[in-house]
Amino acid sequence: MAVSIQDVRVLASTTRSTHHTWALTFFCRPELYLQPSSIEQLQTIVRAAHQFKKTITITGAGHSPSDITMTKDWLINLDNFDNVLSFSRHESGLFTDVRVEAGIRIYQLNAALASRGLALQNLGSISDQSVAGIISTGTHGSSAYHGLVSQQIVDITLLLASGELLTVSPTVQPDLFRAAMLSLGKLGIITHVTIRAIPSFTIHSFQEIIDFDKLLEDWSTIWTSKEYVRVWWFPYSRKCILWRAEKSRKSLSVPRDSFYGTWLGRKLYESLLWFATRIYKNAMPAVERFVFRRQYGWESTYGLGGSEAVQNSVDGLNMDCLFRQFVNEWALPLKHGVEVLKLVDLAVTKAAESGEYYVHAPIEVRCSNCSYPDKETTPFEIIEMSGGIGAIPGNTLRPLLDYSPVVPYSYTGPISNENLTLYLNATMYRPFGRDPPIGQWYSEFEDIMVAYGGKPHWAKNFIGKSPEKTNSVPTSGEMVGLASVFENWYGDDGKKYKAIREKLDPEGLLFGGKEWAIRNGII
């Protein structure tokens, strides 16, 4: 059935004609910025795109700082497709499966769950993304007892390029489900998701100052010492913040004091970063040490309890990302963490001594349990074997494009560093919108990651590998991509993903953002 262009234009936003990343790192002006609110409207857009030979790109919050969602054709934003549809409580009372429209933002879902006495089991650093977005890019938290956030997904419904709606799960087209759990927006439009929630809980956390050398010394035990663990590394101070937490039923406490949580402290910090970025780069180590002292103190509190807090699960698991930023995060085996951090420390120290480049802090150090069983395992098998610590998963399948290393399965314990993935995140802030130099730092950083079997987070500002010489990267910091190494790094799973994508979308309807996809070997 033919569709008039006016049928599509009425779905266009009346307030937005441009699109940009949250970090303001990339901008585009799509021909149409569409905000449908129903399946029928989405299907109209798909039919019209075929008819008028347009490509479609999907975007949510724009929190990926790369150009993955940049397009000149039609851009679909699902902010108006954001309803919670149903709650299905399991008879055990241990979990509830919640059906939602995939445009709902995580903060909206958090609020809807809280009103029912429920919560998500694991979150990334922020809750601004859409549900479709966290699935499409491989969002993770930081826990030896939880995997990717998509581990909580029970099933996914896709609107295919054909206009057909298809629901997939671990038992219904499992290979397509594995592809959809990290789809990069190239398989179809994720319209609905069923996600597994649990009874609400608070987060009881302990935050300590730990010397960098002590962190390395106790590396083998720190990551499994609590259900949730994350580290912020301040390399010029040679100190880290060690945050450890567990689920709790305790009452909320007074929030921790925060220097940069105040308006004045935040503006002062950003101003100091701007000064060290634009005026006098040698000031960066002093800026880091000053801010560390104001925010946390200075003397080690490791083993002494540190500061204690009880927060709701969202506030506890989310964090303050501060300023707009470039983000370059890689996943590699946690067992290599000591060697890797020593090499990164050496590179940062040498660069500061020579004045070659300076880094921003913190360097974020996190982990996840991205080990997978040989077959789909029921949540009750997991609960019985784990003693109730960790996730009640919606699935236990590995996404085809999971960038975490393949490690031995041991989700149910005993868990060691052999079973865990290390995420190392090199953030470079853009104070007041000004770009810092990133090329030399990111180049050295990525060389170390690759040497230890690392792969980049798909949604970040990685550089990648040149097709001419796979061990070289440009010093400009611009993305080269993974096309030259995709087949080697992702093997049969990568081939399977590409075959599924080509079968579902042979005409390339979802080829919006094609340059990014070609650059990274996806098409």
Side-chain angles (χ1 to χ4, degrees):
M1 182 174 65
V3 180
S4 74
I5 191 64
Q6 188 57 33
D7 291 335
V8 179
R9 289 190 184 279
V10 297
L11 304 177
S13 170
T14 58
T15 59
R16 293 193 63 171
S17 60
T18 62
H19 169 60
H20 58 76
T21 62
W22 170 81
L24 303 181
T25 46
F26 290 94
F27 296 79
C28 70
R29 185 180 289 276
E31 181 180 327
L32 290 175
Y33 188 100
L34 301 165
Q35 292 188 301
S37 59
S38 70
I39 286 294
E40 292 74 21
Q41 291 176 351
L42 278 165
Q43 289 174 323
T44 295
I45 293 170
V46 168
R47 290 198 304 273
H50 282 296
Q51 182 177 323
F52 295 106
K53 302 189 183 306
K54 300 297 181 180
T55 60
I56 289 172
T57 302
I58 316 299
T59 188
H63 264 272
S64 169
S66 77
D67 60 337
I68 188 173
T69 59
M70 298 297 117
T71 183
K72 295 179 180 179
D73 276 358
W74 293 358
L75 189 70
I76 297 177
N77 171 269
L78 295 179
D79 280 356
N80 295 335
F81 195 67
D82 61 352
N83 291 306
V84 179
L85 302 177
S86 66
F87 295 84
S88 179
R89 184 177 184 270
H90 192 267
E91 59 185 10
S92 67
L94 293 173
F95 61 87
T96 297
D97 290 343
V98 184
R99 184 76 168 164
V100 301
E101 293 176 338
I104 190 170
R105 300 291 186 94
I106 298 299
Y107 69 84
Q108 294 172 311
L109 178 56
N110 289 337
L113 293 177
S115 71
R116 295 287 193 110
L118 299 169
L120 295 179
Q121 307 174 59
N122 188 25
L123 293 168
S125 296
I126 58 173
S127 288
D128 297 286
Q129 318 99 311
S130 66
V131 166
I134 64 169
I135 295 171
S136 297
T137 55
T139 298
H140 63 89
S142 190
S143 171
Y145 303 93
H146 294 264
L148 297 178
V149 173
S150 63
Q151 181 190 49
Q152 300 168 88
I153 302 304
V154 177
D155 61 47
I156 299 170
T157 299
L158 295 164
L159 175 60
L160 305 180
S162 65
E164 172 191 4
L165 285 169
L166 180 64
T167 299
V168 294
S169 71
T171 57
V172 178
Q173 300 202 37
D175 280 346
L176 179 48
F177 180 71
R178 292 178 64 202
M181 279 200 298
L182 210 165
S183 69
L184 300 176
K186 301 302 178 188
L187 299 180
I189 301 171
I190 297 177
T191 61
H192 298 85
V193 171
T194 302
I195 191 164
R196 183 152 291 165
I198 62 172
S200 59
F201 57 94
T202 54
I203 288 288
H204 184 200
S205 66
F206 298 85
Q207 185 168 285
E208 301 164 290
I209 299 173
I210 181 173
D211 293 335
F212 177 67
D213 292 334
K214 185 61 176 175
L215 174 73
L216 301 186
E217 182 182 328
D218 288 0
W219 188 263
S220 63
T221 58
I222 276 177
W223 295 102
T224 55
S225 60
K226 293 287 184 183
E227 184 171 353
Y228 302 96
V229 179
R230 59 193 181 207
V231 171
W232 297 289
W233 173 24
F234 295 77
Y236 301 125
S237 305
R238 302 207 60 77
K239 294 181 182 293
C240 303
I241 296 301
L242 171 61
W243 181 92
R244 294 186 281 188
E246 56 194 358
K247 293 191 188 85
S248 167
R249 298 296 175 191
K250 294 184 177 183
S251 299
L252 301 180
S253 67
V254 176
R256 293 184 177 94
D257 291 334
S258 174
F259 160 68
Y260 50 61
T262 66
W263 182 89
L264 181 60
R266 202 177 195 85
K267 290 301 181 183
L268 177 57
Y269 187 9
E270 190 169 13
S271 298
L272 291 171
L273 285 170
W274 181 89
F275 176 78
T277 297
R278 308 299 302 178
I279 304 298
Y280 184 58
K281 66 179 183 178
N282 293 355
M284 191 62 71
V287 169
E288 181 200 285
R289 289 189 286 267
F290 169 79
V291 171
F292 187 94
R293 285 181 183 272
R294 294 301 301 261
Q295 180 72 12
Y296 304 109
W298 190 256
E299 298 303 320
S300 173
T301 58
Y302 180 56
L304 303 177
S307 68
E308 182 178 358
V310 180
Q311 301 166 279
N312 68 56
S313 60
V314 176
D315 291 341
L317 296 176
N318 283 169
M319 59 173 284
D320 186 350
C321 292
L322 292 172
F323 317 112
R324 302 184 193 275
Q325 58 198 242
F326 293 108
V327 185
N328 193 357
E329 182 178 61
W330 286 62
L332 60 155
L334 188 75
K335 66 180 181 180
H336 297 322
V338 172
E339 305 103 284
V340 168
L341 263 64
K342 284 181 177 179
L343 288 172
V344 173
D345 180 51
L346 180 62
V348 170
T349 301
K350 284 187 173 181
E353 289 173 349
S354 65
E356 185 178 9
Y357 63 80
Y358 292 91
V359 308
H360 292 172
I363 297 173
E364 196 174 7
V365 188
R366 294 185 286 172
C367 85
S368 286
N369 190 332
C370 293
S371 65
Y372 299 91
D374 294 332
K375 61 182 179 65
E376 177 68 3
T377 305
T378 72
F380 295 102
E381 291 176 288
I382 298 287
I383 294 166
E384 182 179 353
M385 291 185 286
S386 68
I389 298 175
I392 302 176
N395 74 87
T396 57
L397 297 183
R398 181 183 177 90
L400 293 179
L401 294 187
D402 190 343
Y403 50 91
S404 65
V406 176
V407 294
Y409 174 68
S410 184
Y411 183 81
T412 55
I415 295 171
S416 73
N417 288 2
E418 294 284 331
N419 312 116
L420 302 177
T421 292
L422 167 65
Y423 297 102
L424 206 56
N425 179 18
T427 294
M428 292 293 286
Y429 296 116
R430 304 183 63 247
F432 302 111
R434 302 306 296 264
D435 287 345
I438 61 173
Q440 291 172 301
W441 162 221
Y442 278 4
S443 174
E444 289 195 39
F445 177 76
E446 292 192 14
D447 283 345
I448 296 169
M449 300 302 107
V450 171
Y452 283 85
K455 297 189 189 76
H457 189 307
W458 284 107
K460 308 303 184 183
N461 296 113
F462 60 89
I463 298 173
K465 295 300 173 186
S466 165
E468 290 80 22
K469 185 179 179 183
T470 58
N471 288 326
S472 68
V473 295
T475 57
S476 65
E478 294 181 4
M479 181 184 286
V480 172
L482 303 179
S484 65
V485 294
F486 178 87
E487 186 173 340
N488 181 45
W489 284 10
Y490 285 92
D492 290 341
D493 279 353
K495 293 177 182 177
K496 189 176 292 186
Y497 171 90
K498 292 175 72 171
I500 290 171
R501 191 208 59 74
E502 290 167 6
K503 180 180 179 180
L504 295 181
D505 186 17
E507 297 180 15
L509 183 79
L510 294 160
F511 276 8
K514 186 175 182 179
E515 294 79 7
W516 184 95
I518 292 174
R519 200 185 308 141
N520 287 291
I522 303 302
I523 58 176

